[in-house]
Amino acid sequence: MSKQPFPILSLFMAATAGRNMTRPAYAAVAFGIAMMVLLTVDPAYESAHRWVDAVLWACLAFFVFEWAVRLRHAILLQRGLAYAFSFRGLVDLAAAATIPAALIAGASPKSAWLLGVVWVLKLVPGVPGLRQLRRVMVVESASLFSVLVIFLMVVFLASVAEYFLEREAQPQTFGSVPAALWWAVVTLTTTGYGDVVPVTPLGRAVAAIVMISGLGVFGLWTGILATGFAAQTRRDNFLKTWESVSRVPFFAELGPTAIADVTNMLRTIDLPPRTMIIRKGQQGDCMYFIAAGAVEVDLPAGKKVTLGEGAFFGEMALLGSATRNANITTTVLTRLLVLDLVDFRLLMARHPELGRTIDAEARRRALENK
């Protein structure tokens, strides 16, 4: 079997062709933007223009290479058009082609390199918060658009009202509706530059209404986005807990409805290594499922047992014996799903088959621990 002559290059190209940003790509964006900013500082640029130009050309060459590798990979997978017209594909194309296109069109080098600001957009797909914001804006698009319409209506009505009331008193600033639009936007956004101010009593009354309306409009936008973020976060947490519950063999035979029921009842805790979860002799009112990590059980007679992912413990507290009979400590970073006694009883009532399974396993474990 023949070996590839440049395995490191092959690995680098495979990583570049993927969806995620690579470390060299992050470095290229960081150095490229830094050099673009330094380009605008004349004293610093004059003293180090060769280094600045060299770094900028190196970053541009990297982005051209990255775009070519991804386009070739997409064509091989017969997804060339899908990649080319996707957000990532258009950003990669802009990062690789805008500066050369500007230079070919005759723009000065300093002006052309300013187009390197589009390199920042390459970070967008790799920021989880921005992906969440996009989902929230898509879900809440109807509500956000409604508030935008209200904003535009208030801006237009305020502009016309101020033009009618202030045109004779201030013909230079309120001599037309387009001129009054600047005042309306500044006032409705509560920026208040103070460069244009109504002087008539009715004009000031309208300005007060516009300022109050601005608070209401932006309050609506803020409320919609905050509610959308909270709902999206709850959905993400629910899915993560669902995945953790699904990995526990104990729930393997439950259907989707039952798993959703269990997921809503469980609460998740993350514990560092060497944290004592249960102390012998204390009263218990919950049981634990190990979603990730491992714990060590210190049994009577000096016996120690390690429980890993998918195991559970503390179930005797829910089945009648509230006194803990062993010390249990985490051995590594561990994620636990906690089922409280009250929720346990509700769960058993809804899913008798799960209750029988837990009861049988608890009896078996009780015999082993004797």
Side-chain angles (χ1 to χ4, degrees), residues 24 26 41 122 152 168-169 183 220 269 285 288 301 308:
Y26 281 115
V41 183
K122 295 179 72 66
L152 296 176
E168 294 181 359
W183 169 87
L220 282 173
I269 57 173
D285 60 354
Y288 301 88

Side-chain angles (χ1 to χ4, degrees), residues 275-286 288 295-307 312-317 321-330 365-366 368-370:
T275 300
M276 182 165 285
I277 308 166
I278 291 177
R279 189 180 298 274
K280 184 177 180 180
Q282 71 178 181
Q283 297 296 306
D285 60 354
C286 61
Y288 301 88
V295 301
E296 185 179 74
V297 183
D298 189 4
L299 296 172
K303 209 166 130 187
K304 292 188 177 179
V305 175
T306 299
L307 301 178
F312 64 95
F313 57 92
E315 69 284 350
M316 297 306 295
S321 178
T323 304
R324 304 295 194 186
N325 58 8
N327 295 325
I328 301 180
T329 309
T330 59
R365 292 271 295 277
E368 287 181 353
N369 294 340
K370 286 184 179 179

Side-chain angles (χ1 to χ4, degrees), residues 84 91 116 200:
V91 169
T200 64

Side-chain angles (χ1 to χ4, degrees), residues 233-247 263 268 291 335 337:
T233 301
R234 285 195 299 270
R235 283 194 289 267
D236 291 344
N237 291 338
F238 180 84
L239 290 175
K240 290 178 182 177
T241 307
W242 177 291
E243 291 175 358
S244 299
V245 171
S246 301
R247 287 199 301 266
T263 301
T268 306
R335 168 166 290 187
L337 304 175

Side-chain angles (χ1 to χ4, degrees), residues 16 32 37-38 43 46 60 64 83 100 104 112 133 184 205 213-214 223 225 245 250 288 298 322 333 357 360 364:
T16 301
V37 172
L38 193 61
E46 291 299 329
L60 178 61
V64 171
Y83 164 73
I104 293 172
L133 176 61
S213 299
L225 289 175
V245 171
F250 205 66
Y288 301 88
D298 189 4
L333 180 64
T357 305
R364 185 185 65 80

